[in-house]
Amino acid sequence: MEKVFEFDSSPDHHPAEAVIITCFDNRIYKVRKAFVKQLGFKHPDVVEVAGGIKAITQGSDAERKFIFEQIRISIALHHARKIVLMPHRDCGAYGGSKNFITQEAEYAFQSEEMEKAAGLLKKEFPGMPVESYLLDFDGAHRA
């Protein structure tokens, strides 16, 4: 096999401060990266899927099962100590911001989704702390 990229990354295992469930929309990557750093997470496990928490709240049984399995793996392999939900405003999986009359209506909807997801996660992972933050293009909001 031909090596096409040279990089030095440690193969050592690390504990994950959290497993983050988020959307794969690259528009929020920079704000998420900066916010994760502000939270003090150096080695979080990140599960990125279209719509992020929508797979938990509105997804099929298979989609929800996939997310739960990713969380289980993070806990088992990297000893994740909490679950962090990070959906974002203007998420295409929910139809984008245009589906809401106002930004406040969108925030209220996302708050309900985070509350529902947190409830399902607490039932599936008793005792595991769950935090929720709505990412926007100019920062993050605690749910």
Side-chain angles (χ1 to χ4, degrees):
M1 186 176 301
E2 176 188 6
K3 187 178 218 175
V4 296
F5 179 69
E6 189 77 32
F7 191 77
D8 186 24
S9 182
S10 174
D12 296 337
H13 284 279
H14 61 273
E17 299 90 355
V19 56
I20 298 170
I21 311 302
T22 192
C23 183
F24 67 13
D25 189 332
N26 195 50
R27 297 177 302 156
I28 62 161
Y29 173 75
K30 286 183 182 179
V31 69
R32 186 181 74 230
K33 182 178 176 184
F35 184 52
V36 165
K37 184 177 180 180
Q38 179 180 311
L39 290 172
F41 299 162
K42 292 182 180 176
H43 303 288
D45 287 337
V46 180
V47 179
E48 293 178 312
V49 296
I53 67 170
K54 186 178 182 191
I56 298 170
T57 61
Q58 298 181 31
S60 66
D61 288 342
E63 290 170 314
R64 186 175 300 118
K65 190 176 185 178
F66 171 78
I67 299 295
F68 288 173
E69 184 61 19
Q70 295 303 294
I71 294 168
R72 278 189 192 84
I73 291 168
S74 176
I75 293 167
L77 296 181
H78 297 150
H79 312 288
R81 296 187 297 264
K82 68 175 86 170
I83 301 167
V84 179
L85 307 176
M86 288 190 184
H88 69 97
R89 190 175 70 76
D90 195 33
C91 183
Y94 288 106
S97 292
K98 68 181 181 291
N99 275 354
F100 301 93
I101 296 170
T102 64
Q103 188 174 25
E104 290 76 21
E106 184 175 6
Y107 281 11
F109 172 80
Q110 289 288 4
S111 290
E112 291 172 11
E113 284 288 280
M114 288 185 281
E115 187 175 320
K116 182 177 178 185
L120 291 167
L121 288 164
K122 288 176 183 178
K123 184 177 178 182
E124 187 73 18
F125 301 95
M128 178 65 77
V130 179
E131 295 178 7
S132 301
Y133 303 96
L134 179 64
L135 299 180
D136 204 335
F137 300 98
D138 62 355
H141 307 266
R142 184 185 303 272

